[in-house]
Amino acid sequence: MSCEKRIILNAEGLSLSRLVLGAWRLLSGPEKPDATSVARLINDAIDLGMTSFDHADIYGDYGVEEVFGAGLKHWGGKREAIELITKCDIMLKSDARPDNRIKHYDTSAAHIKASVDRSLKNLHTDYIDVLLIHRPDPLMDADETARGLEGVVNAGKVRAVGVSNFSPSQFDLLASRLPFPLVTNQIEVSVVNTHSLFDGSLDHAQRLRYAPMIWSPLSGGRLFTGDGPQEKRVREALKAVADETGGADISAIAIAWLLRHPVRPIPVLGSLKRERLAAMAAALALELDRQQWFAILKASTGQDVP
Ligand code: NAP
């Protein structure tokens, strides 16, 4: 193994698996999965070492948590064998939320409590391992948001809290009002989306020693389907490295490229297909050398580093 098997998030020893399964696309297929197939997915993920599952209240137009929760109930394994991450604050215009007249954010203490209570019910669980504020809210009152987060932690409903898509200063603001650390910032990074390497986000994580969770680690599939010059260059560079490392799938090289970063990124994988998840899990046994890593960066940006 080239990297740690699990990432410890806080002093209490809460940890996530090195690769997390993202549930966003659970209701994207033509058929709604039943409890048996969700239970199978949970078992498949665990077999591949992925014990952590990423959710949000809004996934599947507010429907994913409930479908996953039915599968979790059917699964029948020990709750402590897995970790559940979920998020709140995005308010979608949806038939499921008739009071939302417009898409907006809500980081009020009352909304945090209400959203957590709904997630607990939908997921059929007594506690959430990690609750994230999904998007930075321009109306966030840091004192009040912190009070809301403390409330759900003190009530035993949530073990740890973090954020998603926050800039370093937004992270610092909220952290400054909390009596416990924010354990992660879930942000987008991939071989075709490298902004966080240069905008201070990963520097901030390394400075404060928290492991960022990485969403859309394969750019939501654009890496495979995109026919622009960037995607073509990157696929070629991944293939060249795959050949050098003994023929791994290019998805594994793309994940290994993320894992190579010293900040200890935690990729959140979006495919729910066992064979694709298995191909990406092979990344854990790969370690790209510096020049392989920079060759992929060059393919992404289209130029040598200065
Ligand atoms: P991703 O892993 O970048 O993309 C997954 C997509 O790529 C799937 O549609 C998959 O198709 C497709 N794909 C095509 N070829 C593939 C291959 N060879 N191997 C693997 N996948 C392939 O991740 P994502 O779904 O965009 O996002 C991952 C997770 O991040 C989500 O589930 C969610 O939990 C989280 N997320 C968080 C935020 C946030 O704001 N915090 C935003 C977006 C997502 P198939 O499904 O057909 O395999």
Side-chain angles (χ1 to χ4, degrees):
M1 282 288 166
S2 64
C3 55
E4 297 157 74
K5 277 194 174 157
R6 296 187 66 81
I7 298 291
I8 296 175
L9 296 185
N10 63 12
E12 287 72 45
L14 171 61
S15 68
L16 298 184
S17 50
R18 202 65 183 77
L19 300 174
V20 168
L21 190 73
W24 178 32
R25 299 179 191 272
L26 191 63
L27 296 181
S28 301
E31 280 173 30
K32 183 171 158 180
D34 60 14
T36 310
S37 60
V38 174
R40 197 180 315 119
L41 173 67
I42 295 170
N43 278 327
D44 285 350
I46 292 173
D47 284 349
L48 293 167
M50 296 169 213
T51 62
S52 308
F53 298 87
D54 185 66
H55 285 269
D57 58 339
I58 58 166
Y59 286 170
D61 196 22
Y62 296 98
V64 162
E65 283 184 335
E66 197 178 351
V67 170
F68 190 92
L72 199 57
K73 199 170 165 193
H74 186 73
W75 170 62
K78 282 208 170 79
R79 173 65 183 85
E80 314 82 79
I82 62 166
E83 300 78 38
L84 297 174
I85 300 127
T86 195
K87 317 186 187 80
C88 66
D89 98 318
I90 300 182
M91 309 292 274
L92 295 182
K93 206 163 172 299
S94 158
D95 288 345
R97 295 290 183 275
D99 289 344
N100 295 350
R101 302 189 306 279
I102 186 171
K103 185 176 182 189
H104 64 286
Y105 302 132
D106 189 345
T107 47
S108 66
H111 177 66
I112 290 169
K113 179 177 181 301
S115 190
V116 164
D117 286 344
R118 259 194 306 258
S119 291
L120 290 172
K121 184 166 172 275
N122 287 337
L123 288 166
H124 288 285
T125 184
D126 295 336
Y127 66 92
I128 288 157
D129 292 277
V130 186
L131 176 73
L132 307 179
I133 299 293
H134 203 155
R135 289 254 166 203
D137 169 11
L139 288 181
M140 180 177 80
D141 173 337
D143 286 313
E144 179 178 353
T145 302
R147 201 165 59 245
L149 294 171
E150 267 192 85
V152 290
V153 169
N154 291 342
K157 296 173 180 176
V158 167
R159 293 176 74 194
V161 302
V163 293
S164 180
N165 305 298
F166 272 43
S167 69
S169 69
Q170 289 161 341
F171 185 110
D172 291 343
L173 169 61
L174 183 56
S176 73
R177 309 301 166 91
L178 284 166
F180 41 73
L182 290 170
V183 296
T184 192
N185 186 13
Q186 187 177 120
I187 55 176
E188 182 179 13
V189 193
S190 72
V191 285
V192 292
N193 185 339
T194 61
H195 301 295
S196 304
L197 290 169
F198 306 107
D199 70 2
S201 299
L202 294 185
D203 304 341
H204 183 260
Q206 195 166 180
R207 180 161 65 79
L208 296 187
R209 299 188 191 282
Y210 62 85
M213 296 177 74
I214 306 300
W215 61 264
S216 291
L218 302 176
S219 56
R222 179 163 69 87
L223 172 61
F224 304 97
T225 55
D227 57 6
Q230 185 202 29
E231 293 94 343
K232 286 182 184 160
R233 280 196 311 267
V234 170
R235 283 195 294 268
E236 263 176 42
L238 292 173
K239 179 78 176 67
V241 174
D243 291 344
E244 287 164 21
T245 55
D249 193 86
I250 64 167
S251 64
I253 304 296
I255 299 299
W257 186 85
L258 292 169
L259 294 175
R260 178 66 178 76
H261 196 281
V263 79
R264 302 174 304 144
I266 307 172
V268 185
L269 309 183
S271 180
L272 300 174
K273 297 185 173 128
R274 190 191 159 94
E275 66 284 4
R276 287 186 166 171
L277 295 170
M280 289 183 278
L284 295 173
L286 295 170
E287 183 162 15
L288 305 192
D289 69 30
R290 266 180 190 273
Q291 298 195 49
Q292 290 169 329
W293 192 90
F294 275 93
I296 293 166
L297 179 67
K298 176 180 178 179
S300 182
T301 61
Q303 54 195 5
D304 271 319
V305 284

